[in-house]
Amino acid sequence: MKPFDYVRVGGAEDLAQASAGRFLAGGTNLIDLMKHEIETPDRLFDITRADLPTQDLASVEPREDGLRIGALVTNADLAASEQVRRRYPVLAEALLSGASPQLRNKATTGGNLLQRTRCPYFYDRARACNKRQPGTGCDAMGGFNRMHAVLGTSEACIAAHPSDMAVAMAALDVRVETRKADGTKRSLSLDELYRLPGDAPEKDHVLDPGELITAVVLPAQVPSRQAYRKVRDRASYAFALVSAAVVVELDAGRIRNPRIALGGVAPRPWRARRAETRLEGQAPSRALFLQTMTEEFEAARGHGHNDFKIDLAPRLVADMLGELTETTHD
């Protein structure tokens, strides 16, 4: 591991220098990247004891506009939160399906959102990877790409986003609160936070150097019918081949406010907005669900080993919608 300076952040004055390094919280992804010398920051800013006025980084707090989750709240504590389990069960389900209990005890909310792809070509410095080293090519294109994306990709990168938590948060329409090195604050949706690869796949998000995620805010009002499902090669501690978070309401036999987010199929959590628009106000039926999700994947592009995702994902969501709307197969 390349030598680095370690700075323990006490207050806001320390964050003014943070653009010169990387933030460290649980370290469950960053330390691995540093060990493999995929990332080699000169300085780490440990925020686990940071004290920022009016910005508690380590608590879950009700607010008028919803539930505020501090960036340092661990995945384990968030999944165990009574308010999350009662009002946002899809999020608790997603968190419990990700990683191992030991990792959930360390991984933080902010860090989970910013974790980097688990593409094996990204981690192998002997392989070409535009995300790791721009302009070198993408060996995943012609390599073993079973875990890779089929939506939102580019000619430069087909890596998939690894987070389970972010998929559920995408379906819940969360807002991400940040603080820049100069103290400026902003609020972003997940669509605004994440970038698709385009011709610059090394840029996963729009955050500036030294910009810190301080909290995630769950909206006060969300549909009550919620579910998270994850298809993977083994029952635990495995990344998704395809995952889905579905949130929906049923009113007088009609679908209301459907929200569908997918994991394992795109470089960021993928909101199926075309499908959501198509389903709004419709009477639920298995045929409608499958047709709508198949249309959502019309633009999908497989690369050989991952072609199966284009068929698997629509069927997974159709089954989930059927369960949530109590629709029998037709």
Side-chain angles (χ1 to χ4, degrees), residues 90 94 151 163-174 190-191 194 227-230 240 242-248 257-266 268-276 279 293 296-297 313-314 316-318 320-321 324:
V90 65
L151 290 168
S163 175
D164 291 285
M165 183 194 78
V167 176
M169 287 188 170
L172 291 169
D173 279 335
V174 304
L190 286 193
D191 277 353
Y194 292 122
Y228 186 79
R229 298 287 184 273
K230 181 176 181 178
V242 173
S243 64
V246 179
V247 178
V248 67
N257 200 16
R259 305 179 193 174
I260 302 165
L262 294 152
V265 299
R268 68 182 183 192
W270 187 266
R271 274 294 291 270
R273 296 191 184 276
R274 178 180 177 183
E276 293 171 0
L279 291 171
M293 288 306 302
E296 179 73 31
F297 274 74
L316 173 65
V317 175
M320 294 173 68
L321 285 166
L324 290 173

Side-chain angles (χ1 to χ4, degrees), residues 270-314:
W270 187 266
R271 274 294 291 270
R273 296 191 184 276
R274 178 180 177 183
E276 293 171 0
T277 300
R278 174 82 167 81
L279 291 171
E280 179 65 38
Q282 298 294 314
S285 76
R286 167 74 182 185
L288 171 67
F289 299 150
L290 190 55
Q291 177 186 354
T292 300
M293 288 306 302
T294 299
E295 292 171 355
E296 179 73 31
F297 274 74
E298 284 180 349
R301 178 188 174 194
H303 290 81
H305 300 103
N306 65 350
D307 292 352
F308 70 95
K309 294 186 179 188
I310 299 173
D311 181 63
L312 173 60

Side-chain angles (χ1 to χ4, degrees), residues 70-308:
L72 292 180
V73 174
T74 67
N75 288 179
D77 286 345
L78 187 57
S81 165
E82 188 276 333
Q83 296 183 81
V84 171
R85 288 187 290 109
R86 176 170 51 85
R87 298 171 59 189
Y88 313 97
V90 65
L91 178 55
E93 292 172 12
L95 286 162
L96 292 174
S97 74
S100 65
Q102 293 90 342
L103 286 173
R104 292 197 297 269
N105 285 336
K106 290 292 293 181
T108 61
T109 299
N112 189 308
L113 289 176
L114 297 183
Q115 63 181 300
R116 306 210 67 187
T117 183
R118 290 330 197 260
C119 170
Y121 299 98
F122 173 71
Y123 271 85
D124 186 348
R125 292 192 299 145
R127 297 298 193 121
C129 174
N130 290 315
K131 184 177 286 292
R132 186 185 67 251
Q133 189 174 355
T136 58
C138 175
D139 277 351
M141 293 282 190
F144 185 67
N145 48 48
R146 185 167 178 267
M147 300 296 293
H148 289 70
V150 296
L151 290 168
T153 60
S154 72
E155 293 302 317
C157 183
I158 59 172
H161 194 272
S163 175
D164 291 285
M165 183 194 78
V167 176
M169 287 188 170
L172 291 169
D173 279 335
V174 304
R175 302 292 299 181
V176 178
E177 296 182 345
T178 74
R179 181 192 188 281
K180 296 187 178 184
D182 63 1
T184 304
K185 301 175 185 177
R186 60 172 168 166
S187 175
L188 304 166
S189 68
L190 286 193
D191 277 353
E192 293 169 328
L193 173 66
Y194 292 122
R195 293 182 72 261
L196 291 177
D199 59 0
E202 72 277 10
K203 300 176 181 177
D204 295 335
H205 51 72
V206 300
L207 299 185
D208 295 332
E211 187 170 5
L212 173 69
I213 292 179
T214 56
V216 173
V217 180
L218 300 172
Q221 301 297 324
V222 294
S224 60
R225 299 176 184 232
Q226 305 176 18
Y228 186 79
R229 298 287 184 273
K230 181 176 181 178
V231 180
R232 48 190 165 177
D233 286 326
R234 58 179 185 270
S236 65
Y237 196 36
F239 293 104
L241 295 170
V242 173
S243 64
V246 179
V247 178
V248 67
E249 204 65 84
L250 202 61
D251 180 25
R254 298 285 173 173
I255 296 169
R256 302 295 180 194
N257 200 16
R259 305 179 193 174
I260 302 165
L262 294 152
V265 299
R268 68 182 183 192
W270 187 266
R271 274 294 291 270
R273 296 191 184 276
R274 178 180 177 183
E276 293 171 0
T277 300
R278 174 82 167 81
L279 291 171
E280 179 65 38
Q282 298 294 314
S285 76
R286 167 74 182 185
L288 171 67
F289 299 150
L290 190 55
Q291 177 186 354
T292 300
M293 288 306 302
T294 299
E295 292 171 355
E296 179 73 31
F297 274 74
E298 284 180 349
R301 178 188 174 194
H303 290 81
H305 300 103
N306 65 350
D307 292 352
F308 70 95

